Amino acid sequence: MLQIKNLNVHYGVIQALKDVSLTINEGEIVTLIGANGAGKTTTLRTISGLNKATSGQIFFEGADITNMPATQRVKMHISQVPEGRRIFPEMSVLENLELGAYLRNDKAEIKKDIQNVYGLFPILGNRKKQLAGTLSGGEQQMLAMGRALMSRPKILLLDEPSMGLAPLLVREIFDIIKNINSTGTTVLLVEQNARMALSIAHRAYVIETGSIVMSGTGEELSKSDDIQKAYLGGGE
Amino acid sequence: MEQFLQQMVNGISLGSIYALIALGYTMVYGIIKLINFAHGDVYMIGAYIGFAATTFAKLGFFPALIIAMLASAALGILIEKVAYKPLRNSTKIAVLITAIGMSFLLEYVMMFFVGAEVRSYPKVLSDASFNLGNVVINMQQIYIVVTAIVLMIILQYIINKTKIGKAMRAVSADKDAAQLMGIQVDTTISFTFAIGSALAGAGGVLVGIYYNSIDPLMGMMPGLKAFVAAVFGGIGSIPGAMIGGLSIGIMETLVSGYGNSMYRDAFVFAILIVILIIKPAGILGKNTKEKV
Ligand SMILES: Nc1ncnc2c1ncn2[C@@H]1O[C@H](COP(=O)(O)OP(=O)(O)OP(=O)(O)O)[C@@H](O)[C@H]1O
Ligand SMILES: [Mg+2]
């Protein structure tokens, strides 16, 4: 469904991605794990069109989207929950969700989808009119996810959804990700919480200083010694 | 007391015009963090377009107002595309200098084409006046205030209820997040310039009618005062620009009514300095806190 071939991305002279290649099949949860500054966010931003590729190609459902404007990619149902949530703090919960459906015109269906988001995250339903900036960190994460779902994504890109959340809430968020996936949405999950990510992912890639250094099924990587040492706190 | 009320009436008329101009400053600042110094000149050109529409095309007040607003909107879009968009990733100071340059360019290009002399509008609105107690209210003042209020209500509606308005707020808040919603940032910025410039153009026509004199440099002082009004209200805040505009207009007429009109302009800038010292964010300015 999504295929990245030899992607290179630079920030000025700094090279953030080096020949990154990865494939995500329809219906999968694929996780991309790696340390701080490895290039995870850059990968997602480039898929969404917020960063430009220096070279390489990105294909989505067979179409080359490498140079497509960001809007167009949202139209193709590529949706992202960005790092740090980036909800619109001065707007209400409802307005945030409506913005998630910005490119849609099917009013009745949008209404239904808003109800579905409230079903998935009941707390948001109780806070419709509240300004998003006054929500707690966990609620903001839920809002960011709900907002991304409003575009009816075929693929959902999630950038560290567990960041800053209490363990219990992390569980809940991961259950919801599995749930979203089981209804047919493909998921690319970026995480530093490698243990949790590997436990729900069908396949995983490991990125180090801009290069993919390992890949395999979630299970394979959980057992790998290198992964144990570097990301799962094992081998001590 | 009567004199006070009279000054208030005059102040509100003047203040509504400042508010219309201040809105453009604040909206553009909100979305691209630029003080658009050419904004006062869009107001001036709006006044000339209204002048042409009423004098040469013999149009009435409303058609002239609408034509001036549309033409100013187009001019605003053009200024952004030509002067600011190419500098989207440049330093702030480079864009600021460009804005000042753009301001002079508009002033002197206008001077070249229309001459430096002061012109006056034909009588398109009745200058009848009536007395409320001993306070004299001029029909033109009523037109000014009503027009300004109607335009501000439309603006509020656009910003809060329409899709493009929500896009404007989203782009002002977070350009990357807005793009992830599928919002086109460039289109939204153009639209913001269009609306802000249309309001300034309307202000130009109202001033042309009220003060009955326009010239190519007429945008400088009201432009600066509207900028002060925007800062006073809290730059980036739309209600702030409305309140700021009214406050500056009222204070200015009170100073010239009770004190000395010579100190009027000095007073406005003194207010700016005081505001910047005691409340740098302006009266409705926001110090947003973000959760991590
Ligand atoms: N806007 C930027 N300008 C310059 N360098 C950048 C920029 N954004 C990221 N980088 C650099 O690119 C590299 C990859 O950053 P990226 O944000 O993709 O990492 P990450 O894997 O998401 O890290 P984290 O886990 O901390 O979020 C880092 O070295 C970073 O310093
Ligand atoms: Mg990151």
Side-chain angles (χ1 to χ4, degrees), chain A residues 11 14 16 34-43 83 159-160 190 192:
Chain A
Y11 293 105
I14 303 167
N36 287 115
K40 306 180 295 294
T41 298
T42 306
T43 307
E83 183 172 56
D159 198 343
E160 302 205 33
V190 157
Q192 286 202 41

Side-chain angles (χ1 to χ4, degrees), chain B residues 188 204 222-223:
Chain B
T188 310

Side-chain angles (χ1 to χ4, degrees), chain A residues 197-224:
Chain A
L198 290 172
S199 76
I200 66 163
H202 300 109
R203 288 189 306 114
Y205 290 88
V206 181
I207 185 168
E208 256 172 35
T209 55
S211 305
I212 302 286
V213 291
M214 212 183 297
S215 67
T217 65
E219 215 174 329
E220 277 166 17
L221 289 197
S222 310
K223 286 185 190 138
S224 138

Side-chain angles (χ1 to χ4, degrees), chain B residues 208-221:
Chain B
I209 290 168
Y210 188 40
Y211 291 104
N212 214 350
S213 84
I214 61 174
D215 71 89
L217 299 183
M218 69 182 272
M220 293 172 100
M221 204 35 119

Side-chain angles (χ1 to χ4, degrees), chain A residues 45 48 50 70-71 74 80 82 85-86 88 90-91 95 98-100 102-105 133-135 140 147, chain B residues 160 163-164 166-167 169-171 173-174 176-184 286 288-292:
Chain A
R45 285 176 59 89
S48 282
L50 298 179
T71 325
V74 180
Q80 184 179 157
R85 292 139 197 157
R86 309 284 282 266
F88 300 108
E90 305 275 323
M91 295 192 207
E95 281 179 311
E98 284 169 350
L99 274 170
Y102 185 76
L103 292 175
R104 294 171 54 186
N105 290 312
T134 65
L135 295 174
Q140 292 191 4
R147 184 181 66 175
Chain B
N160 291 316
K163 224 166 174 175
I164 185 76
K166 283 180 188 160
R169 285 189 288 150
V171 173
D174 188 335
D176 282 347
Q179 290 195 68
L180 290 177
M181 304 298 106
I183 294 167
Q184 282 178 298
K286 42 193 172 191
T288 36
K289 286 186 218 97
E290 277 165 38
K291 285 212 170 65
V292 188

